[in-house]
Each structure stands twice: as structure tokens, then as C-alpha cells.
Amino acid sequence: MRTLLFLALAALGVYWYADRYGLAVGYPPFLPVFYWKYTGEAQYPIRVTGLYDTVKVKVAGELQEGRLRVALLKGGDTLGEKAFSGTFQEELRFPVEAGEYVLRFHLEGAKGQVRYDWVATKFAP
């Protein structure tokens, strides 16, 4: 009985925290990320060699609230950006040259789950 009471209090505490401050649980690209009223940003560096000409980003998910913006940056300049909300499943392709890039995922008041995957690769025209 004490264990049940402890688990109920812990669940209530997590719910209160998530509802008040926001919560994100998951680890892209291996696991989907679950959001509860989360506002924040994640940045992932990408090194592209001369063999690659595209950064491909797969984004799939369902947000009951808020939105997600995916952008590819080089030296602080935005090379491409796309916003998502509701239910979505899309593959973005950003043309690139050799160099250092940053893939940015920006969320505003997101509630739902999103699965991310990205790769730098060569595509036939």
C-alpha cells in the first residue's frame, strides 16, 4: 500500500512539474521524444565532407499543441527552415557543400510525440 501511495505521489509530482515547466523525454534519433508543454531547442552539429550534397531529415509525429521548427544552419545563417504542427510525416532535404552545419529543432509549447532522424548523403538528381 505504501508503494502504491509513493508511486501515485511521484506521478502527481511529475504531472505537476510537466504542466508547469514543460517536459521532454526521449533520445533522438534512436527513440521518439515525448513532449508535455515543452518549449526549448536542441542543436546537433553535422560535419559534411566533399562526398555529400544533401542533408536529409525525417520528421514524423503528432502534436496536440504547439509547433516544431526544423532548420539547418551554417555559420549562424539559416539555409532552410520548415515548421510543423498537428499530425505530420515529412522528409526534408537541404542541399549542402562540404563544411560544418548545425541542425536545429525548436519547439514552442509542444505537447505530443515526435520522431527524428537525419543523415548527410548523396542523392541522384
Side-chain angles (χ1 to χ4, degrees):
M1 187 67 172
R2 286 185 199 172
T3 305
L4 261 155
L5 181 60
F6 176 74
L7 288 175
L9 285 174
L12 186 62
V14 168
Y15 175 79
W16 176 82
Y17 180 86
D19 200 50
R20 185 170 179 140
Y21 301 108
L23 184 68
V25 178
Y27 190 75
F30 306 107
L31 298 172
V33 183
F34 296 92
Y35 298 106
W36 186 274
K37 295 187 178 182
Y38 180 78
T39 298
E41 182 174 288
Q43 296 187 3
Y44 299 96
I46 299 175
R47 178 177 297 193
V48 177
T49 66
L51 300 174
Y52 305 110
D53 65 354
T54 303
V55 171
K56 180 174 77 169
V57 182
K58 287 185 179 181
V59 183
E62 182 178 343
L63 295 175
Q64 289 85 25
E65 297 176 14
R67 68 178 171 173
L68 162 71
R69 288 186 299 157
V70 178
L72 185 68
L73 310 168
K74 182 172 183 175
D77 297 329
T78 303
L79 300 177
E81 185 171 7
K82 176 104 187 219
F84 300 95
S85 62
T87 302
F88 51 89
Q89 182 173 352
E90 193 160 337
E91 182 178 287
L92 307 172
R93 292 185 181 188
F94 300 105
V96 295
E97 298 173 352
E100 302 285 329
Y101 295 86
V102 174
L103 187 58
R104 180 179 68 196
F105 298 101
H106 182 79
L107 293 118
E108 299 169 5
K111 183 178 178 184
Q113 68 93 18
V114 181
R115 183 174 202 81
Y116 307 100
D117 194 13
W118 59 89
V119 66
T121 188
K122 183 104 175 143
F123 286 100

